Amino acid sequence: MYKRQFLAGALCGLLFAVLTVSLQANQNITGLTLTTFGLGVYFFVGNGLKAKGWPVMGEYPGIKEGFADLPIPFLSGIPLIGQGLFSHNILVYLGVAIAIGMWWYLNHTTPGLQLRAVGENPATADSAGINVNRYKYLATCLGCMIAGLGGLYYVMDYASGIWANDAFGDRGWLAIALVIFAVWKPNISIFGSILFGGLLIVHNYIPTLTMASQEIFKMTPYVVTIIVLIVISMKRKRENLPPASLGLSYFREER
């Protein structure tokens, strides 16, 4: 299951890299196009399997057991927070480990620093002998592989392996908001994920809310992101700004 999800994510990342790195297509438009294309494939395949009467993934014992909760000894028994933070399936722990690993990689390894240099100023990195296109291809494919795990977690844990046309809703865009909230730092994204997750479900614990009020509560992660953007723009600290070449194509002949 994990290998297939990684492979599917890598193929999507490779397609995006070919279009934006090799063919120099606009990254924003390409991203929106592939998102729409992916949703179309998702509906086509899912509805097709559903029409044939195939069982949902959550009905397969082997797959279902792979997503069972794994409480961490001692930590899961902490009052108030233990059950909420330390009693999840393997993908949650893997997500935290990946965030910590990427923070260390980007800040304490030579390849990680070179990747950051490509994001800041690809022309300078190219002049220093760094293969800009190779770093962009690898980073894009790896990032899409990790994003694929997020989709797998949602389908198998949050949706219990049940097919639905509107399954993902706005969760993918919430991940983009999280990147902005975390000011492009993987370690901060761990705490941001906990905060966003709490804001997204807090309405479930307020029984007196109307349906309209619940939707307002669901907006709070995006409101928080807007506030963070305003604060970052006002302070203009370089360490909190996105990479200077984020979303820009690199034309080597113009360096």
Side-chain angles (χ1 to χ4, degrees):
M1 174 62 71
Y2 297 112
K3 292 180 180 179
R4 294 177 182 176
Q5 200 72 15
F6 269 125
L7 178 60
L11 290 176
C12 291
L14 180 61
L15 176 59
F16 181 81
V18 169
L19 293 173
T20 59
V21 178
S22 297
L23 302 181
Q24 305 289 351
N26 182 280
Q27 296 183 23
N28 295 321
I29 295 176
T30 303
L32 290 173
T33 302
L34 291 182
T35 299
T36 306
F37 171 75
L39 286 173
V41 173
Y42 170 76
F43 295 146
F44 175 77
V45 174
N47 285 327
L49 295 178
K50 186 177 180 181
K52 291 181 179 180
W54 285 35
V56 297
M57 288 190 291
E59 294 177 359
Y60 289 96
I63 297 178
K64 192 173 182 180
E65 290 173 3
F67 290 87
D69 289 342
L70 299 173
I72 299 177
F74 304 111
L75 294 178
S76 60
I78 298 176
L80 298 179
I81 65 171
Q83 192 68 20
L85 296 179
F86 305 108
S87 183
H88 295 280
N89 65 55
I90 187 64
L91 281 182
V92 175
Y93 306 132
L94 180 60
V96 174
I98 290 175
I100 295 174
M102 290 308 301
W103 167 80
W104 180 83
Y105 173 80
L106 291 172
N107 292 278
H108 299 282
T109 68
T110 299
L113 294 173
Q114 290 178 342
L115 177 60
R116 292 179 61 183
V118 169
E120 286 293 335
N121 194 323
T124 302
D126 195 4
S127 300
I130 298 173
N131 191 322
V132 173
N133 286 352
R134 182 177 65 184
Y135 270 96
K136 285 190 173 185
Y137 264 86
L138 290 175
T140 302
C141 291
L142 181 58
C144 287
M145 291 168 67
I146 296 172
L149 284 182
L152 179 63
Y153 170 83
Y154 183 88
V155 171
M156 291 306 303
D157 187 274
Y158 196 88
S160 301
I162 299 175
W163 166 261
N165 278 342
D166 58 347
F168 289 96
D170 59 352
R171 272 70 176 189
W173 304 114
L174 190 64
I176 298 176
L178 175 62
V179 173
I180 299 172
F181 175 84
V183 290
W184 291 267
K185 294 179 173 61
N187 54 331
I188 299 178
S189 68
I190 298 173
F191 305 101
S193 298
I194 297 173
L195 174 62
F196 277 25
L199 292 174
L200 201 62
I201 66 171
V202 68
H203 65 274
N204 293 328
Y205 300 91
I206 307 177
T208 58
L209 289 178
T210 63
M211 289 295 294
S213 299
Q214 290 181 11
E215 294 302 320
I216 292 177
F217 267 87
K218 291 180 182 179
M219 292 169 51
T220 51
Y222 302 100
V223 174
V224 171
T225 302
I226 293 173
I227 294 174
V228 170
L229 278 174
I230 294 173
V231 173
I232 291 175
S233 300
M234 292 175 62
K235 290 188 175 182
R236 300 296 297 177
K237 290 185 177 180
R238 186 67 195 92
E239 62 270 18
N240 293 332
L241 295 176
S245 297
L246 180 65
L248 302 177
S249 298
Y250 170 55
F251 299 92
R252 196 178 192 206
E253 62 274 11
E254 294 181 358
R255 63 173 181 162

